[in-house]
Amino acid sequence: MGRKVTVATCALNQWALDFEGNLQRILKSESGAAGALWLGPGLPVAGYGCWDHYYESDTLLHSFQVLAALLESPVTQDIICDVGMPVMHRNVRYNCRVIFLNRKILLIRPKMALANEGNYRELRWFTPWSRSRHTEEYLLPRMIQDLTKQASPWVRLSLFSGNSGPGGAGTLWDPGSGSPHIDMGLDGVEIITNASGSHHVLRKANTRVDLVTMATSKNGGIYLLANQKGCDGDRLYYDGCAMIAMNGSVFAQGSQFSLDDVEVLTATLDLEDVRSYRAEISSRNLAASRASPYPRVKVDFALSCHEDLLAPVSEPIEWKYHSPEEEISLGPACWLWDFLRRSQQGGFLLPLSGGVDSAATACLVYSMCCQVCKSVRSGNQEVLADVRTIVNQISYTPQDPRDLCGRILTTCYMASKNSSQETCTRARELAQQIGSHHISLNIDPAVKAVTGIFSLVTGKSPLFTAHGGSSRENLALQNVQARIRMVLAYLFAQLSLWSRGIRGGLLVLGSANVDESLLGYLTKYDCSSADINPIGGISKTDLRAFVQFCIERFQLTALQSIVSAPATAELEPLADGQVSQTDEEDMGMTYAELSVYGKLRKVAKMGPYSMFCKLLGMWRHVCTPRQVADKVKWFFTKHSMNRHKMTTLTPAYHAENYSPEDNRFDLRPFLYNTSWPWQFRCIENQVLQLERAAPQSLDGVD
């Protein structure tokens, strides 16, 4: 005898504190839920990224007002709804799931394991519910009492499992961010709901899918994952991937990147498949026989919705993954779109240098335009309305990404006497191929004016090293060029549309990659200072692979000469018309080495000495201990010397776990003793000991 149930989960593009918009998106997703159980993502009522706004009583008040609107809506009738919001109980704030049915609140369930690592700070605003298998009563606000007309104004505050009416349905459970699905599964729970607020990191989707499938393969059961999607107001992009799984297999997959604000997944599954799957796992059944029971909330509602034995059930599917290059082309592009439409600006301005980083940023805007055109062709009216607002043309319908790119992206090549003709040509050709409105200008008059003021005041004229100047003069002259480019970028962002008779302003895009930020290989307040930076969390290695991907995917042949050229800032004088300055020579290390340092420093939590010890083994075939020591010392010296630059880093798309972003992710001092005397002495002692022990084997080759 089958027990078929239809369940629904979703991915919602919520926006912090946008209570009106958040409500409408929740209602839209529930109207698309054909089943008797609907699950929303983490904290969709207020928006996950409210941060310190969670302290405000307004956030609590407006969350309950939205809950009242959800209870009152006919859309939610005959659906068990599971929605997240902040709730205060005994003057303590909890991150809660509110579960309701037919204008009656069944349960308020606080989160027990709060996310508090990396970009997450849930313990800053919420307290975890620490009493497992314990329930308390919660007095509903008067506005909810008046609406629900419940006999008792008190609602249990803790765990929820539902008991169906006639026909028998499974039990429900929300594991929060911990892993109580094992204990709950042993107690007979058959449907697990996980309301998530999980952001995108390159190559993370595999981990997410594996966690869900492994959870149900070991213990059986149906697993619903809902997730936030889009940019809800800061550096993170929540990448959807809502899914429905059962017994180790995936039955419904949501998109990881899309411009749809609402995506609903449904599946019809048979609870008898869960029961028969569990029946043959003897070790699981032995443990279940000894499991302590959880309290239940009795619900007179039959979750089983298909008594027809011939009603079809959903079939397992294979999860389709994006390559890292596809992730880069889609994630930051969707993030840019959310930022553009929600900031109500007229487009972007990008300083286009002819190098890989700015070219990759231009490609991301072009990829965004491709996604917008694709979404409009598929009938997305919200995207069409947003495009028309951005370009200020109520009848415009984007069809060609190049045409749209020309309307919303202005690229600007800012030449100086130190610029080569090759980079100018590469920038112009790329702009032509993506269709951007391109400007070329020369900054030499502004540089001359600024340095002239200094000479007038001091009577001194700084010179480049190539012309006999000191390293301090050389660096100052490079920085003047870089900072003037930033000033001009903002000037043109504010007035270039005005000069063309178009209303609005432009967002300035930065293009410093994660490796350069880590080392501080950028000028403070140069073109790395912008409104947002879509590549600030992406490594140089991945960016080169992405540019190569764009050559094939978008037929942007101008990128071939860009990706093959050496990276250069072009801030020092040319030698016989050719570039004499390269990034890796300036940095004193390769980008590949820099990525290794970044991952060991942040992900592996290594300081100078432990990094040296680790690299001794990793690089034993190519470097002597002395060479490894010198490389590690140089990296930490430069990193600590330039750490202050991270305090003003442009808000960037978070894509790598070794990001040096100082705002919330990588919290460290910005005033260091850059000589690291104790740490470097430990390294030096170890090198001397190794050299004395086996001098003949330290030639760099085993």
Side-chain angles (χ1 to χ4, degrees), residues 88-153:
M88 180 182 286
H89 177 58
R90 296 181 178 176
N91 293 330
V92 179
R93 286 174 171 79
Y94 295 98
N95 177 352
C96 292
R97 309 296 303 173
V98 178
I99 302 169
F100 61 91
L101 168 67
N102 293 339
R103 298 176 66 138
K104 304 293 183 183
I105 294 180
L106 305 177
L107 174 81
I108 299 175
R109 191 278 188 189
K111 197 171 181 178
M112 299 172 65
L114 299 179
N116 204 57
E117 66 284 330
N119 285 294
Y120 296 98
R121 293 287 182 275
E122 290 187 8
L123 279 173
R124 178 179 173 92
W125 311 291
F126 302 114
T127 300
W129 185 259
S130 57
R131 287 171 287 180
S132 179
R133 297 178 175 85
H134 174 79
T135 63
E136 290 187 10
E137 291 186 322
Y138 174 78
L139 181 63
L140 291 169
R142 190 172 300 278
M143 73 174 86
I144 304 299
Q145 293 183 41
D146 293 342
L147 183 62
T148 62
K149 309 297 183 185
Q150 289 173 274
S152 170

Side-chain angles (χ1 to χ4, degrees), residues 277-299:
Y277 183 88
R278 288 176 170 175
E280 62 180 1
I281 309 176
S282 59
S283 59
R284 179 254 169 214
N285 296 333
L286 285 172
S289 67
R290 299 189 295 268
S292 300
Y294 283 85
R296 259 71 170 172
V297 174
K298 304 294 184 179
V299 181

Side-chain angles (χ1 to χ4, degrees), residues 27 58 108 136 256 326 338 398 446 459 481 593 639 670 681:
L27 289 173
D58 280 14
I108 299 175
E136 290 187 10
Q256 187 174 12
E326 288 176 321
D338 280 346
Q481 298 170 73
E593 290 173 339
H639 166 70
F670 56 87
R681 186 164 62 249

